């Protein structure tokens, strides 16, 4: 019953997001236009690390496509193995952007595993200063669990619907170095991430690291490499001219936390989990 409800919710919300996007972008085009996506491009990444004393490893990718002169579409994907479970995710963005000014769009994404089904739809935006990006998204988060999230957020036992908010600042001390701070509120919990990404001298290749913490003793430390597919350009230019942030990366760490007893790396039954 829960799976049927989740599937129906995902389809319905996707349709709503599409309808909202047409109205939103009709207004936005007069301000943001002509270079939403500079050219066909993509990225693929691999990560490895630890979330709440359990190992986490996986891959993610994005594909961005320019649409007409003013629009861009991006498709996101993710696979992660963590806490003895496999997580699969798909997402999409529909947006307009001016590389000197900012981005405005609609984003939706869903992640499913043996313990949790999660779908979010939100409005996303970015504002660009010379060395700083101010961005985020806010919207609706549907969370359905088979009971393993009870120790993490008891409200999930009798509630599926939550707000999701993610705000971030990304600073560029150099054209190929990003320092980013994220704040996220979801499932009525607060999370904080610090991320560093450096584009190496190897064309298209960057290395990144993430340290995060939050309510209920949530903690994660992850590292990985990311390969950008497309024209050679600086890291800051890639972030402002090509692909928006993969929404599934924003959601996954806290999804994994939901299936564990935070601070103990154990499931809701008390059994120790190891990746």
């Amino acid at each position: 019953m829960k799976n049927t409800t989740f599937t129906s919710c995902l389809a319905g919300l996707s349709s709503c997001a599409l309808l909202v996007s047409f109205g939103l972008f009709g207004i936005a085009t007069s301000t943001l236009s002509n270079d939403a996506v500079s050219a066909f491009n993509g990225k693929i990444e691999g990560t490895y690390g630890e979330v709440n004393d359990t190992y986490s490893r996986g891959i993610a990718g994005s594909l961005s496509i320019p649409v007409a002169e003013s629009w861009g579409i991006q498709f996101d994907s993710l696979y992660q193995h963590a806490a003895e479970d496999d997580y699969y995710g798909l997402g999409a963005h529909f947006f307009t952007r001016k590389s000197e000014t900012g981005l405005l769009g609609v984003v939706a994404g869903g992640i499913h595993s043996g313990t949790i089904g999660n779908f979010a739809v939100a409005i996303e935006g970015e504002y660009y200063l010379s060395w700083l990006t101010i961005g985020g998204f806010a919207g609706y988060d549907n969370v359905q669990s088979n009971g393993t999230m009870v120790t993490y957020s008891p409200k999930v036992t009798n509630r599926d619907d939550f707000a999701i908010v993610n705000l971030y600042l990304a600073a560029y001390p150099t054209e190929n170095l990003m320092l980013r701070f994220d704040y996220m509120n979801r499932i009525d919990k607060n999370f904080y991430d610090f991320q560093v990404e450096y584009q190496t001298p190897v064309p298209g290749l960057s290395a990144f690291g993430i340290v995060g913490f939050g309510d209920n003793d949530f903690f994660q430390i992850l590292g990985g490499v990311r390969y950008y597919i497309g024209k050679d350009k600086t890291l800051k230019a890639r972030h402002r001219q090509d692909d928006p942030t993969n929404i599934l990366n924003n959601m996954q760490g806290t999804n994994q936390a939901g299936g564990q007893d935070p601070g103990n790396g154990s499931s809701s039954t008390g059994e120790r989990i190891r990746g």
Side-chain angles (χ1 to χ4, degrees), residues 35 70 94 100 114 127 140 179 184 226 242 252 255 261 265:
D35 56 356
S70 304
F94 181 43
E100 295 83 12
Y127 180 68
Y140 168 78
L179 306 176
M184 177 178 283
R226 181 175 291 129
D242 294 341
Q252 172 53 21
N255 270 349
D261 182 4

Side-chain angles (χ1 to χ4, degrees), residues 10-274:
L10 188 149
L13 289 174
S14 297
S15 299
C16 290
L18 184 60
L19 291 173
V20 170
S21 67
F22 281 112
L24 173 68
F25 293 118
I27 298 171
T29 304
S30 60
T31 304
L32 304 175
S33 61
N34 298 330
D35 56 356
V37 178
S38 64
F40 181 93
N41 68 88
K43 62 188 174 188
I44 186 168
E45 64 191 60
T47 61
Y48 184 85
E50 184 176 299
V51 181
N52 286 356
D53 297 326
T54 71
Y55 293 112
S56 177
R57 52 194 177 272
I59 58 174
S62 298
L63 179 65
S64 299
I65 304 170
V67 179
E69 294 183 354
S70 304
W71 317 107
I73 294 177
Q74 176 170 302
F75 300 101
D76 297 331
S77 61
L78 175 142
Y79 165 75
Q80 197 87 8
H81 179 80
E84 294 186 343
D85 206 351
D86 294 312
Y87 296 80
Y88 303 89
L90 292 173
H93 309 245
F94 181 43
F95 59 95
T96 186
R97 171 168 54 189
K98 190 173 183 65
S99 60
E100 295 83 12
T101 306
L103 173 148
L104 184 63
V106 172
V107 58
I111 294 177
H112 180 77
S113 75
T115 58
I116 183 174
N118 177 212
F119 177 78
V121 59
I123 303 299
E124 66 177 338
E126 292 183 334
Y127 180 68
Y128 305 141
L129 301 173
S130 61
W131 58 274
L132 182 70
T133 295
I134 303 169
F137 61 82
Y140 168 78
D141 193 15
N142 179 269
V143 181
Q144 301 198 9
S145 167
N146 65 7
T148 57
M149 291 189 73
V150 174
T151 58
Y152 171 66
S153 183
K155 294 181 180 180
V156 175
T157 59
N158 55 20
R159 179 179 166 193
D160 295 334
D161 304 318
F162 297 87
I164 184 170
V165 176
N166 180 218
L167 302 173
Y168 57 86
L169 297 173
Y172 297 86
T174 72
E175 294 291 307
N176 286 312
L177 175 65
M178 180 195 71
L179 306 176
R180 174 166 161 164
F181 170 74
D182 281 68
Y183 163 75
M184 177 178 283
N185 180 281
R186 64 183 305 241
I187 324 177
D188 292 343
K189 301 293 181 182
N190 298 302
F191 303 94
Y192 310 88
D193 275 343
F194 297 92
Q195 180 180 165
V196 178
E197 183 177 6
Y198 171 69
Q199 182 167 268
T200 72
V202 178
L205 184 66
S206 76
F208 63 90
I210 303 171
V211 175
F213 62 93
D215 290 346
N216 286 26
D217 297 324
F218 171 74
F219 178 77
Q220 68 174 353
I221 181 166
L222 301 167
V225 293
R226 181 175 291 129
Y227 182 73
Y228 292 92
I229 302 167
K231 295 180 179 179
D232 189 21
K233 58 182 68 175
T234 67
L235 183 66
K236 185 172 80 170
R238 292 187 190 282
H239 292 170
R240 296 184 176 187
Q241 298 174 11
D242 294 341
D243 44 359
T245 300
N246 185 329
I247 187 176
L248 306 173
N249 288 340
N250 295 77
M251 296 166 61
Q252 172 53 21
T254 50
N255 270 349
Q256 183 183 333
Q260 301 167 241
D261 182 4
N264 286 323
S266 59
S267 69
S268 59
T269 62
E271 180 182 357
R272 186 74 174 175
I273 296 176
R274 296 193 181 277

